[in-house]
Amino acid sequence: MDGTVQYYNEQSNKWNILIVDNDNFIHQIIKEMNKDFTFEGRTVNFHSAYNTKEAIEVLEDNRDIVLVLLEAFLEKEDSSLDLVKYIREDIKNEDIRILLMTEKNINGLEGNIIFDYDINGYEKKSELLSKKTSAVILSSIRSFRDISRIKSNRKSMERIVSSISNLYEKDAIGDFLISSLCHLSALINQCKGMGKENCNINSFAAAREGTSNIFRIIDGKGKYKDCINKTIRESVSATDLMKINKIYNEGEHELFDNVYIARYKSTSGSEAILLVENQSKDNYIDIELLDIFYKSVSATFDNLCLNLEIEETQKEILYTLGEVTEARSEETGSHVKRVSKYCQILAEEYGLSPRDIMLLTHASPIHDIGKVAIPDNILLKPGKLTGEEFNIIKSHTTIGYNLLRNSKREILKAAAIVAHEHHERYDGKGYPRGLVGEEIHIFGRITAIADVFDALDSSRVYKKAWVMNDILNYFIEEKGKHFDPKLVDILFENLDRFLEIREKYSDITEQSSEL
C-alpha cells in the first residue's frame, strides 16, 4: 500500500471486517453469528486471514476495512503487535478499529498494550463468541463511521478554506461561484477527490443578470450540464423552482429532502444561487458544517463583489483621466480606448497572466497623465519643438510616474510603470532613463507599441496620420531598435484584430456618437 488513507465510502452496501486468527473455528463462528447483522442498511462482509502475511495482503487489496478482529497471539508472541504497527505506522491508517481477542492471560499488560499500540479494545474469546460479538461489531462500526465523517468534514473544511483563500486570485465572481459549487457538491455528497471536470452531481451556480430578477446559470453539472446560459426558470422542475423561490423570498439556505439551495447576496447588489442535489438519502450531512460553509462563502462573496466594484470604479476613473489628458491635447478619448485594447491583445499573446493582462489593460489609458503639467504653448504647438521644449515634453514620463508611484493600489502601481517607461526604446536610446531591452518592464514595452501604432495612425496638431503601409514599414525598420522584436511579431500576427479595433473605436465614430 502507498500509505494513502482512503475513507470509507458511505454509498457502499457493505461493512468490511477482517478476522485475523490461526483457528478456522473462530472465523466460522463469528461469521455464522453475524450473518444477519445490518447497520444503517448495510450488511457485513468478512475477510479471513490466518497469519500476519495474509492479513497484510487483505489490507492491501481492501482499503475500506472498518474493523480488525485480531488474535493477540499469532505465529510469534509479537506478531499481532507487529500487524498493529503496520496498520498504524506503515500505512498510517488511524481509522480502522482494532480489537484484540484471546483466551490467554497477557500478564497484566492489557492496558499498556492498548495504550502503546493504539488498539481500540480487548475481549476474551469466550465472552466475545457467546453473546458480545454483535455489540462489539456495532460499537466499532459506529466509532469508525463517526471518525470517518469527522475526517471527511475536516477535509471538506480544509478544501473550503483553501478555496476561499485562493478565490481572490480569480478576480471573477463566476470563478468564485464555480469553485464554491464544486466544494459544496463534495461536502453534501461525500465525494472524495472529485474535481470540477469529472463531477457528475446534479448541481448549478447561477448569478443575477444586472438589476433584473433573472438568474442565469453560469455553471452546471450532471443534468444541468447543458443549461449554462439558460435561466433558472427554464432549467429546473416546478417543485425545485418553488423551493428556490422560498429561499429567495424567505431565507438564506436550506437542506430540503433531496436538494440543498443557498442564496448569496452582497451589499453591492450582486446575487447568486447555488443548488446541489443530495444524490444518496443515506449520506450523513453535517448541518452545522453546511452553515459554516454558507457563512464563509457569503462573507467572501460580499467582499469579492465589493472589491470588484472598487476595481471597476478605479478602471472607470482611469479611463476618464486618460480621456481628460487627451482632450487637453485636442484629441478624442478614442485614443486611450484603442491603446488599451491594443495592449490587451499584445499582453494576451505575449503570455502574461490574467491578472497582469487586466492591470495593463486598465492602467494603459493614463500613460500620458504627466502631460497635465506641460504648458499649453508647448503641448499644443503646431510647429517643430525646440530642444528645450522637447525636453519639457519628455518630462511628462517622470511627472506621471511621480504622480502615481506612491499608490498602494495595484492598478495605479502598474500605471506608474506605464507612464514612466512607455517612451523607453529597446536599443537604450529612449527616455527618461535609457533602459535597454528587458530592463524595460513588459508593461512599458507593450504600451510603447500600442501607443506608437495609434499615434502614427492618428492626426495631431503637429502632423497628419500615416498610411497603414508606412506604419507597418516603420515597425519593420524599428524591430529590435525602438521595439521589442517579439512584440513586433505579435503585432503583425494579430494585425487583423488591431484593424478591427481601429475601425470600431475610430475618431470619426467617436465624434458621430457625440452629435
Side-chain angles (χ1 to χ4, degrees), residues 191-366:
C191 309
K192 310 295 189 297
M194 182 177 63
K196 289 184 288 186
E197 291 74 19
N198 58 3
C199 176
N200 60 359
I201 301 298
N202 295 331
S203 58
F204 68 75
R208 195 178 72 177
E209 199 171 60
T211 57
S212 71
N213 289 326
I214 297 172
F215 284 78
R216 201 167 291 279
I217 293 175
I218 61 172
D219 187 57
K221 305 297 181 186
K223 70 182 183 182
Y224 297 109
K225 183 179 179 181
D226 298 325
C227 295
I228 295 173
N229 293 325
K230 292 183 179 180
T231 65
I232 289 180
R233 186 175 294 275
E234 294 175 304
S235 306
V236 304
S237 67
T239 302
D240 283 346
L241 186 60
M242 289 177 62
K243 295 172 182 175
I244 292 169
N245 284 331
K246 179 178 184 293
I247 294 299
Y248 183 79
N249 294 316
E250 302 174 13
E252 297 176 334
H253 71 124
E254 186 172 337
L255 178 64
F256 297 92
D257 289 340
N258 68 324
V259 67
Y260 172 82
I261 301 168
R263 177 198 185 196
Y264 303 99
K265 184 176 181 180
S266 79
T267 51
S268 65
S270 298
E271 290 186 79
I273 290 175
L274 300 187
L275 178 147
V276 178
E277 287 189 8
N278 177 16
Q279 297 195 197
S280 173
K281 292 183 179 180
D282 295 328
N283 276 349
Y284 170 79
I285 301 173
D286 190 325
I287 302 301
E288 185 177 351
L289 188 60
L290 276 178
D291 193 54
I292 292 171
F293 178 89
Y294 177 80
K295 290 175 180 176
S296 297
V297 173
S298 291
T300 309
F301 179 73
D302 188 31
N303 287 335
L304 181 60
C305 290
L306 287 172
N307 286 344
L308 291 175
E309 179 72 18
I310 292 169
E311 207 163 78
E312 287 301 314
T313 302
Q314 288 178 338
K315 295 170 188 175
E316 189 172 322
I317 290 171
L318 292 179
Y319 266 109
T320 302
L321 283 174
E323 289 177 353
V324 168
T325 303
E326 295 305 314
R328 188 163 172 268
S329 302
E330 296 186 355
E331 296 158 7
T332 72
S334 292
H335 169 67
V336 296
K337 293 177 184 175
R338 292 191 297 264
V339 168
S340 174
K341 298 295 182 182
Y342 295 154
C343 284
Q344 182 177 357
I345 294 172
L346 291 167
E348 288 171 348
E349 297 302 323
Y350 190 84
L352 296 189
S353 68
R355 183 70 178 172
D356 281 344
I357 293 168
M358 183 280 294
L359 290 173
L360 178 57
T361 300
H362 297 290
S364 58
I366 57 170

Side-chain angles (χ1 to χ4, degrees), residues 54-91:
E54 290 180 5
I56 289 172
E57 289 174 354
V58 173
L59 289 166
E60 286 179 341
D61 294 336
N62 300 274
R63 297 202 177 197
D64 55 359
I65 299 291
V66 302
L67 169 64
V68 177
L69 296 171
L70 175 62
E71 161 64 46
F73 300 97
L74 285 169
E75 317 90 275
K76 300 176 184 177
E77 186 171 322
D78 293 334
S79 295
S80 297
L81 298 180
D82 288 341
L83 180 60
V84 174
K85 252 176 146 180
Y86 169 80
I87 292 171
R88 299 303 192 211
E89 298 178 11
D90 292 353
I91 65 175

